[in-house]
Amino acid sequence: MSIIKSFDKLKEELVKKSVRKKVAVVWAADDSTQQAVAQTLSDGFVEAVFVGYVRELQELPLLLPHLDHITFIDAATPDEAAEIAVSLVREGKADVLMKGLINTDNLLRAVLNKETGILTRGNVLTHISVAQLPAYDKLLLFSDAAVIPYPTHEQRIKQVEYAAAMVRSLGIDEPRISLIHCSEKVNEKHFPHTAGYKEIAAMGQAGSFGRCIVDGPLDVKVSCCRESMVTKGISSPIDGQADVLIFPDIEAGNTFYKTITLFAGAQTAGVLQGPNAPVVLPSRSDSTMSKYNSLAVAVMSLTH
Amino acid sequence: MSIIKSFDKLKEELVKKSVRKKVAVVWAADDSTQQAVAQTLSDGFVEAVFVGYVRELQELPLLLPHLDHITFIDAATPDEAAEIAVSLVREGKADVLMKGLINTDNLLRAVLNKETGILTRGNVLTHISVAQLPAYDKLLLFSDAAVIPYPTHEQRIKQVEYAAAMVRSLGIDEPRISLIHCSEKVNEKHFPHTAGYKEIAAMGQAGSFGRCIVDGPLDVKVSCCRESMVTKGISSPIDGQADVLIFPDIEAGNTFYKTITLFAGAQTAGVLQGPNAPVVLPSRSDSTMSKYNSLAVAVMSLTH
C-alpha cells in the first residue's frame, strides 16, 4: 500500500481494499449523518446497522439503493439505541460505533458502562483527530482536542500507542510522534508533564510502541517544519515531519483544532480510540464531509 | 484616525502621525535588529539610542543617513547595556526598550530588578502578540504565548487591561476581548479558570477596562467566526469578531502562535506590556519584518 496523504487517497485505498466493516449508527436522525453513511455505503466500505429512528430511515430514498448492506434495529429512544449499538460491538456484531442525533454524554455513558460497556480495563478513552492541511504535505494526527482535559502520564502513553497504530493504518511504517510543549526544554518545576515526555520518548526508542520515532518536548512549529528546527538550533529525530502531535492538555489541543479549521483551511476527521471498537463522535456542527472522513478513518484503522 | 487592520496600515498611520519615540536598543549586534531599527528610522517614527556594540554600529552604512536621530551609549557587555537601557527608561529618557543580541533572561533580569528595574508594583509583565492573518479581516491580538506559564486570575485581569489599551491604539474604540477555553461552558470543577472568566466578563461590563466587550469562556472558532457561533447556538456580544484572544495558559497561547505562523500564513509582532515602557523582545528566529512590526506596535501603543 502506498502512503495515504489525503482524505481523497484514503477513500481510494478503502475502495481498492474492498473490505466492508460493520458500523452501528445510533439514532441517525440528522441529515449529515444519513448522507455520510449513505456515501460510505455507496463507496462500498461500510455495512450499516441503523439502531433506532428506523421507520423514517427505511423510507429514506438516499438509502434505498443500499438495502442489501443495511440492517435496521428498532429502539424506542436514543438512549436505548446507544445501549443496543454498544451491545452489538461487545458481541462482535459491529466493528465501529457511530453517533447520530444523541447527546454525547449519553452515548459515552453506554460506552463506559462497567457492566455492559466496551472499554476494557487498562484502556483509555481518548480522541484522535486527523487533519488535512493545505500547508502540510501529509495527514497530521493529533490528540486530544475533545475528551481528556489534562492527560495523566499513563493516559498520554496510551494516546501515543493508539495514534501510532492509526498512522500505520495510513501506510506509514515508522510514525513520527511529537510531544508538544511551548519550548524544547524539559522544565520539571514549571511544566511537570515535560519530565514525563522524556520517559515516553525513551519508551519509544526502546520499542514500546513498535517501530516509531517519539520525541519531545517540541513546539508545533519545530515539529512540523524542518527549517524552524534548524533555525532554532534544535536537533530532533522528528526532523520537522511529525505525523502526530500529542498536546499537553485539551486547551492546547482544542486551540490547535479550532485554529487550523478556521484560519488554515484544514479538513478534519476524528475518532475515539480505546474502546473495543473505534467510535465516530462528530460535533454537532461537523459537516457531512467531516463525518464521512471520520468514518473512513475509523474503518481504515481496523484494516492494518 | 481610521482603524488599523494591517501592518502596512500601521506603518502608514505612524508616518502620518509624525511622532518620534525614543527606543533604547540593547546590544544591536545582529543583522535583523539593525535592519529593523534602520527601517523605523527611515520611516521617521523612531529616535534610536543604541546601547552597547557601539563602535561597530557607528560604522554601519545602514545607519549613516540617520545619525541625526541616533545616540550611541557605550557599554562593556550586553548585561551592562541592559542595565543602562533600563535606567534610560526609568529616567524617562527612552520610551521603548528593545532587545538585540542578549539572552532574554538577562534582559528581563534588568527589567524586573526591584531596585533598578522598570516594573512598577501592581503591574504584571506579560506578552501580547499581534497577528495579521490572511483569513481574518483585522489584526488579532493574543496573550500570552511567551512569558506567563499559567496566569493567575489577577494576571489575567492585567492581560485584558493591557490588550484593551493596545487595541484602542489601533483606532478601535470598543475592543472585543475573548477569554479562550475549549468550550463555552463554565466548569469550575474541571476547569477552575473558567469561573474567573465570568468575573472578568462582568468587570468588563461594569466598565473596569474602559469601553469594551469582554466575554468567555469561548473557543477560538466561536470567538472569530460569527457563522460558527450561530451554528453552535451560542450567543455572545463578541459576535465572532474578537480583537483579542486571552488564552488560559502558555501551552494554548504558544500553540496558537506557532500554528498561525506555520499553517495559516500569519505575520506577527509582539511586545511585553506591564513595565514602564513597552519592551520589544523578539525570538531568536524572528525576521527583520517581525522585529520592525513589533517596534511599530510598541510605538503605536504609546500614541493613544
Side-chain angles (χ1 to χ4, degrees), chain A residues 150 181-182 184 190-191 193 219 221 224 231-232 248-249 251 254 256 258-259 261-264 284-285, chain B residues 150 181-182 184 190-191 193 219 221 224 231-232 248-249 251 254 256 258-259 261-264 284-285:
Chain A
Y150 301 103
H181 176 53
C182 58
E184 71 283 0
H190 291 112
F191 302 101
H193 62 275
D219 73 30
K221 206 163 177 179
C224 298
T231 306
K232 286 186 84 174
D249 61 28
E251 301 289 2
N254 193 272
F256 184 73
K258 299 295 163 64
T259 303
T261 48
L262 183 58
F263 293 126
R284 45 195 156 156
S285 57
Chain B
Y150 302 104
H181 176 53
C182 58
E184 70 283 2
H190 290 112
F191 301 101
H193 61 276
D219 72 28
K221 207 164 176 177
C224 299
T231 306
K232 287 186 85 175
D249 61 27
E251 301 289 3
N254 193 272
F256 184 74
K258 299 295 163 65
T259 302
T261 49
L262 183 58
F263 293 126
R284 46 194 154 157
S285 57

Side-chain angles (χ1 to χ4, degrees), chain A residues 284, chain B residues 228-235:
Chain A
R284 45 195 156 156
Chain B
S228 295
M229 186 188 80
V230 173
T231 306
K232 287 186 85 175
I234 295 164
S235 154

